[in-house]
C-alpha cells in the first residue's frame, strides 16, 4: 500500500517508535517518529545521538516508499521526545505525581465551593470548564470568561502550588 | 565553494494567489484528502469512528505544524533528487506542503537571497533543534 494513501489511524501507529524510512532514491533514514503529517504524509523523525545535539528530519510523504519499525517506544521515550519538540508541554511529572496534583486541585476547588468532578485525567467544573494535566492555571479551558477567570485564580492561589517557571 | 556570500538575483518569482477565487481550491490535495470525512455520517457508530479519526488527524497535524515552527529561521539541509544537497534558512511552508519558502539558499551559483523550493523536488529536510 502506498504510504501517502494511509489513514491517520494507520500513521498514528508509528508515532513514538524507532523506525527506518526508505525513500524513492533508496536512501534510509532512522529515527523516532514524532508525527506523520496527515496532509502530506510527511514523516518527522527525531534522532538523539549521545554528545550531539538532537536533530530532526522531515521526510516528504511523496518520497516515502517504506517504513519499518525497528524498536517500539515507551512512555519514557514519548516524554523525552515531547521535552525536545514540545518544550511548553513537557510533562516532567510521573503518573503518581499527576494523580496527587489532580487530587490536590480537586480538593482545593471543593473547599472553595466549586462543583468539580473527576473524569479520567481531566477535572470538570459544572459542565462549563475543564482542567487537563498538569492542572496549572493555563490548563483551564472554558467558553465562559467569568468561570474561567474565577477558577484560574483559584488554581493559581492553591496552597502548596509550585511557582510557575 | 568559497565566495558563497555573493547574492544572486531571483530568476523567477513565485506565482501569487488566484485573483478571482476566494482562495479555496476544490482540486487541492488537502480538500480531496478531507472531503470524505467532511460528509456527515448516517449511523452513530461510524460517527464516533469519524470523531476518533478526526482527533488523530488533528493531533498529528498539530505536531507537524509545531515541527515547522521549530524549523523556522533555522539553517536546514535539503536533500533533493540525485543526491543533491543544499542548505538554506527555512521560512515557511504553504498549507498543503507543496512549496517551501527559504532564504539564503546556497547553490553552486552563489547565494539566492529568496527562493521557493517545490516539495516535489525535496526528499527530506534536516535541522538541529
Amino acid at each position: 500500500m502506498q504510504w501517502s494513501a494511509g489513514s491517520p489511524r494507520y500513521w498514528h501507529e508509528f508515532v513514538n517508535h524507532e523506525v527506518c524510512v526508505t525513500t524513492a532514491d533508496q536512501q534510509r533514514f532512522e529515527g523516532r517518529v514524532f508525527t506523520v503529517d496527515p496532509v502530506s504524509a510527511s514523516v518527522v523523525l527525531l534522532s538523539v545521538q549521545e554528545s550531539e545535539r538532537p536533530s530532526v528530519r522531515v521526510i516528504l510523504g511523496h518520497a516515502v516508499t517504506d517504513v519499518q519499525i525497528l524498536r517500539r517506544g515507551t512512555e519514557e521515550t514519548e516524554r523525552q521526545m515531547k521535552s525536545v519538540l514540545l518544550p511548553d508541554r513537557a510533562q516532567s511529572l510521573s503518573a503518581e505525581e499527576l494523580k496527587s496534583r489532580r487530587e490536590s486541585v480537586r480538593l482545593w476547588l471543593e473547599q472553595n465551593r466549586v462543583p468539580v468532578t473527576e473524569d479520567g485525567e481531566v477535572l470538570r467544573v459544572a459542565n462549563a470548564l475543564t482542567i487537563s494535566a498538569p492542572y496549572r492555571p493555563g490548563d483551564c479551558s472554558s467558553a465562559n470568561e467569568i468561570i474561567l477567570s474565577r477558577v484560574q485564580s483559584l488554581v493559581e492561589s492553591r496552597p502548596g502550588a509550585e511557582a510557575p517557571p | 565553494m568559497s565566495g558563497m556570500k555573493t547574492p544572486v538575483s531571483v530568476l523567477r518569482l513565485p506565482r501569487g494567489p488566484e485573483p478571482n477565487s476566494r482562495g479555496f481550491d476544490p482540486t487541492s490535495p488537502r480538500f480531496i484528502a478531507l472531503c470524505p470525512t467532511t460528509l456527515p455520517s448516517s449511523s452513530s457508530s461510524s460517527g464516533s469512528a469519524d470523531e476518533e479519526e478526526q482527533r488523530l488527524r488533528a493531533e498529528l497535524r498539530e505536531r507537524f505544524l509545531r515541527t515547522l515552527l521549530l524549523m523556522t529561521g533555522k539553517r536546514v539541509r535539503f536533500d533533493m533528487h540525485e543526491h543533491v544537497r543544499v542548505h538554506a534558512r527555512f521560512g515557511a511552508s504553504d498549507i498543503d506542503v507543496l512549496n517551501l519558502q527559504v532564504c539564503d539558499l546556497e547553490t553552486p551559483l552563489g547565494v539566492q537571497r529568496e527562493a521557493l523550493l517545490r516539495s516535489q523536488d525535496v526528499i527530506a529536510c534536516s535541522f538541529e533543534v
Side-chain angles (χ1 to χ4, degrees):
Chain A
M1 186 196 66
Q2 212 199 3
W3 175 253
S4 18
S7 70
R9 212 182 290 269
Y10 174 71
W11 291 321
H12 195 262
E13 289 294 307
F14 291 89
V15 172
N16 191 34
H17 305 310
E18 258 185 81
V19 302
C20 176
V21 177
T22 312
T23 55
D25 57 347
Q26 266 84 52
Q27 277 192 73
R28 289 214 162 102
F29 300 95
E30 282 186 22
R32 191 175 304 283
V33 177
F34 176 59
T35 190
V36 177
D37 177 34
V39 171
S40 62
S42 303
V43 183
V44 178
L45 299 179
L46 175 67
S47 55
V48 190
Q49 248 101 48
E50 309 249 347
S51 76
E52 273 181 29
R53 291 182 59 177
S55 71
V56 176
R57 218 185 295 271
V58 179
I59 305 159
L60 280 289
H62 67 81
V64 175
T65 51
D66 186 47
V67 180
Q68 293 293 327
I69 296 184
L70 302 174
R71 257 173 308 271
R72 302 194 77 85
T74 61
E75 250 188 56
E76 180 58 31
T77 60
E78 171 82 1
R79 236 180 335 158
Q80 269 174 7
M81 206 167 49
K82 275 185 174 168
S83 74
V84 174
L85 295 175
L86 293 172
D88 299 329
R89 304 256 194 93
Q91 319 251 64
S92 47
L93 301 179
S94 68
E96 294 86 46
E97 285 165 331
L98 277 179
K99 188 166 168 196
S100 89
R101 162 100 61 98
R102 181 169 72 240
E103 189 56 21
S104 168
V105 171
R106 191 182 67 80
L107 280 172
W108 174 240
L109 290 176
E110 272 179 3
Q111 281 164 21
N112 282 273
R113 311 250 191 280
V114 174
V116 51
T117 55
E118 222 176 278
D119 182 2
E121 290 207 350
V122 151
L123 292 173
R124 285 195 202 286
V125 172
N127 264 343
L129 178 147
T130 55
I131 314 178
S132 10
Y135 317 108
R136 302 161 300 188
D139 300 310
C140 298
S141 159
S142 171
N144 183 311
E145 288 159 37
I146 298 172
I147 297 183
L148 181 62
S149 163
R150 168 86 178 120
V151 174
Q152 268 183 328
S153 49
L154 267 181
V155 174
E156 202 165 6
S157 65
R158 177 174 64 99
E162 300 74 15
Chain B
M1 286 295 216
S2 61
M4 286 287 283
K5 303 248 167 44
T6 321
V8 172
S9 57
V10 174
L11 301 176
R12 195 185 71 172
L13 291 173
R15 222 171 58 182
E18 317 258 71
N20 300 318
S21 75
R22 289 158 60 193
F24 172 66
D25 182 1
T27 62
S28 75
R30 182 167 187 262
F31 179 76
I32 292 170
L34 287 178
C35 192
T37 63
T38 60
L39 297 176
S41 59
S42 46
S43 72
S44 59
S45 64
S46 66
S48 61
D50 279 346
E51 257 187 53
E52 177 65 5
E53 164 122 355
Q54 192 58 20
R55 189 189 69 79
L56 289 174
R57 174 182 282 274
E59 188 187 312
L60 291 172
R61 180 68 172 174
E62 186 186 345
R63 284 188 171 207
F64 181 71
L65 293 177
R66 293 204 184 274
T67 305
L68 291 184
L69 274 177
L70 221 52
M71 196 156 82
T72 305
K74 295 210 165 73
R75 190 163 179 271
V76 174
R77 186 189 90 197
F78 294 92
D79 295 342
M80 327 273 282
H81 294 292
E82 320 263 337
H83 302 283
V84 171
R85 271 183 189 178
V86 292
H87 289 85
R89 207 155 286 277
F90 179 73
S93 156
D94 61 359
I95 194 171
D96 298 314
V97 199
L98 294 175
N99 296 293
L100 307 174
Q101 179 247 323
V102 299
C103 44
D104 299 332
L105 174 71
E106 293 162 27
T107 77
L109 294 175
V111 177
Q112 292 258 6
R113 182 84 52 80
E114 305 282 352
L116 210 61
L117 299 178
R118 287 185 321 176
S119 67
Q120 287 298 112
D121 296 337
V122 176
I123 292 176
C125 329
S126 317
F127 64 100
E128 282 186 351
V129 176

